[in-house]
């Protein structure tokens, strides 16, 4: 009676194991048992790389703080805050009435001096005057032209133009304001493309060079990837941080990125074609990596354990350097319940989700 009472709990435990772990018990059973359901994925040939990731700061492609070259009152403002302008557009005019008056007088003097020089040339040909008088008149013409050029330069100093095409910043002045060379009138920046500066540890110095493609993502728009390329790698490593600075060019056609933004940068280093599999297919064992390859037979699929050499790891997948070929089918789910030579049934996504 005591033995019968003992067998009761044992039968209950076995029934519970059969209910909870049927695949495990099947994997330990003989070759004639039903195949173990697993998920599998093919080995793919893809474009891969060894990405170098960093954080970078965006900077305007061109930036200038617009200031007056002289101390003068503002007579006209021809822009609004945030306006887009072309190179050469007039932005601000400073008072220059006195210079205009002097310029008009100088031009009148030039016309008189040119007439005198022309008259003297005719007299010289007739030997009615000396060549010295003609040379003096021509000297006055040259001096008057130089005076006109100087006055025109003074007027140009009082007309502030956009040095390049871009977007203006805030307007900091009003009509009638007295500005000096230290007064910031506004700022102008070209953000149709950006400079992106970021630092990389010195151990990765050999992995980055000019011309490499980059991808950047901002926190303000995490779903969009901005593309560009490395422009230059700094020639020195900072002895304190043991890092070097890289400057890249980043396309910004619609102006979504702004100078000063912090961006996550990925340098596409060593681009190549490589074999990849889902990371879930790896079966680590004693420091090595292996996978179960599902091979097609007349009776169905049978798995074979195969040792592989892995390379670069990516999000959700891993590069395979040796041990597999393109198109091989590797088990990605159910590897704990199978063994070498086990018969398996490959499930589709819909079959796996319905279980």
């Amino acid at each position: 009676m005591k033995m019968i009472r003992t067998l009761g709990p044992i039968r209950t435990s076995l029934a519970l194991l059969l209910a909870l772990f049927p695949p495990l018990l099947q994997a330990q059973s003989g070759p004639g048992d039903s195949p173990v359901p697993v998920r599998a994925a093919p080995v793919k040939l893809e474009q891969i790389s060894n990405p170098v990731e960093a954080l970078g700061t965006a900077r305007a492609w061109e930036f200038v703080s617009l200031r007056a070259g002289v101390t003068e009152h503002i007579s006209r403002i021809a822009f609004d805050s945030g306006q887009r302008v072309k190179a050469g557009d007039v932005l601000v005019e400073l008072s220059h009435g006195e210079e205009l008056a002097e310029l008009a007088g100088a031009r009148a003097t030039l016309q008189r001096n040119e007439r005198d020089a022309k008259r003297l040339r005719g007299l010289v040909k007739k030997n009615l005057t000396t060549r010295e008088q003609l040379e003096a008149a021509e000297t006055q013409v040259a001096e008057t032209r130089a005076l006109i050029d100087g006055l025109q330069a003074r007027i140009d100093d009082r007309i502030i133009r956009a040095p390049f095409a871009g977007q203006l910043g805030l307007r900091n002045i009003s009509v009638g304001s007295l500005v000096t060379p230290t007064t910031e009138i506004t700022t102008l920046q070209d953000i149709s493309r950006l400079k992106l500066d970021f630092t990389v540890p010195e151990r990765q110095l050999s992995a980055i060079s000019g011309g490499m493609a980059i991808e950047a993502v901002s926190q303000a728009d995490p779903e969009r990837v901005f593309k560009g390329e490395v422009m230059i790698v700094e020639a020195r490593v900072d002895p304190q941080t043991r890092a070097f600075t890289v400057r890249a060019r980043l396309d910004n056609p619609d102006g979504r990125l702004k100078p000063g933004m912090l961006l996550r940068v990925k340098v596409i280093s060593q681009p190549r074609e490589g074999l990849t599999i889902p990371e879930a297919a790896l079966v680590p064992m004693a420091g090595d990596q292996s996978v179960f390859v599902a091979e097609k037979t007349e009776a169905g699929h049978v798995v074979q354990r195969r040792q592989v050499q892995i390379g670069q790891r990516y999000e959700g997948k891993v590069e395979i350097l040796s041990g597999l070929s393109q198109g091989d089918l590797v088990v990605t789910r159910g590897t704990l319940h199978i063994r070498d030579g086990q018969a398996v049934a490959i499930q589709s996504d819909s079959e796996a989700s319905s279980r």
Side-chain angles (χ1 to χ4, degrees):
M1 291 295 294
K2 186 175 182 181
M3 183 177 296
I4 293 174
R5 291 175 183 174
T6 305
L7 289 175
I10 294 176
R11 291 194 187 99
T12 304
S13 299
L14 288 173
L16 183 60
L17 284 173
L18 285 170
L20 293 178
F21 304 104
L24 179 61
L25 296 177
Q26 289 174 8
Q28 296 174 347
S29 57
D33 295 326
S34 60
V36 177
V38 296
R39 297 277 295 278
V43 179
K44 296 180 180 180
L45 181 64
E46 297 182 294
Q47 286 289 338
I48 58 176
S49 64
N50 293 356
V52 178
E53 298 185 353
L55 292 176
T57 301
R59 305 184 188 280
W61 187 255
E62 298 287 355
F63 176 85
V64 65
S65 174
L66 294 174
R67 303 171 189 268
V70 296
T71 300
E72 191 56 83
H73 289 89
I74 292 178
S75 61
R76 175 173 171 258
I77 299 175
F79 74 93
D80 294 321
S81 297
Q83 180 181 335
R84 293 187 178 275
V85 295
K86 299 178 181 178
D89 285 354
V90 175
L91 304 179
V92 173
E93 291 186 10
L94 305 181
S95 298
H96 55 281
E98 181 180 348
E99 286 75 15
L100 287 175
E102 292 181 11
L103 180 61
R107 284 174 175 168
T109 302
L110 177 63
Q111 291 178 355
R112 185 182 69 249
N113 292 339
E114 287 177 339
R115 286 195 303 267
D116 292 342
K118 182 178 179 180
R119 180 176 55 83
L120 289 173
R121 289 190 194 98
L123 294 176
V124 167
K125 290 180 181 180
K126 297 177 181 180
N127 294 322
L128 297 176
T129 189
T130 63
R131 182 164 294 277
E132 288 77 9
Q133 288 179 320
L134 175 59
E135 290 175 354
E138 289 178 341
T139 299
Q140 288 181 338
V141 170
E143 289 176 349
T144 307
R145 286 176 178 169
L147 176 62
I148 290 174
D149 290 341
L151 290 171
Q152 189 62 59
R154 288 168 58 187
I155 293 172
D156 291 342
D157 286 343
R158 288 160 173 78
I159 300 177
I160 300 173
R161 302 175 183 270
F164 53 83
Q167 185 174 6
L168 297 170
L170 299 176
R171 176 164 66 91
N172 300 321
I173 44 83
S174 300
V175 174
S177 300
L178 179 67
V179 296
T180 68
T182 61
T183 305
E184 182 179 78
I185 295 172
T186 187
T187 59
L188 175 63
Q189 56 186 1
D190 176 10
I191 60 171
S192 60
R193 49 184 174 171
L194 298 174
K195 297 172 184 175
L196 183 60
D197 294 345
F198 55 94
T199 57
V200 178
E202 65 175 332
R203 65 177 181 274
Q204 295 178 317
L205 179 60
S206 60
I208 301 180
S209 60
M212 284 185 174
I214 69 163
E215 296 177 351
V217 177
S218 71
Q219 292 182 345
D221 193 0
E223 300 301 322
R224 181 171 178 182
V225 178
F226 294 86
K227 297 184 180 297
E229 67 176 16
V230 174
M231 293 170 56
I232 189 171
V233 177
E234 193 174 26
R236 63 183 292 272
V237 174
D238 190 318
Q240 296 182 348
T241 62
R242 299 302 176 185
F244 61 96
T245 300
V246 179
R247 172 165 290 180
R249 175 188 58 79
L250 197 63
D251 295 330
N252 188 32
D254 53 3
R256 294 291 296 275
L257 296 178
K258 305 298 182 184
M261 276 186 167
L262 183 67
L263 304 177
R264 288 188 289 112
V265 189
K266 181 187 293 185
V267 181
I268 311 302
S269 177
Q270 301 178 23
R272 62 192 182 279
E273 280 192 338
L275 299 175
T276 63
I277 62 171
E279 195 171 18
L282 292 177
V283 181
M285 179 174 289
D288 296 325
Q289 297 285 354
S290 62
V291 298
F292 284 105
V293 180
E295 299 179 350
K296 181 72 173 177
T297 65
E298 293 182 358
H301 285 90
V302 175
V303 294
Q304 299 293 334
R305 182 188 291 270
R306 194 178 299 177
Q307 188 170 339
V308 295
Q309 182 181 1
I310 65 173
Q312 188 73 23
R313 289 180 180 266
Y314 306 94
E315 185 175 355
K317 61 184 178 181
V318 62
E319 178 188 12
I320 297 297
L321 300 179
S322 64
L324 294 174
S325 301
Q326 183 181 1
D328 286 346
L329 202 61
V330 295
V331 176
T332 59
R333 183 173 298 180
T335 55
L336 296 178
H337 310 310
I338 57 178
R339 67 180 188 278
D340 197 13
Q342 176 76 50
V344 296
I346 307 298
Q347 287 187 320
S348 64
D349 293 342
S350 58
E351 290 174 338
S353 60
S354 64
R355 291 178 63 87

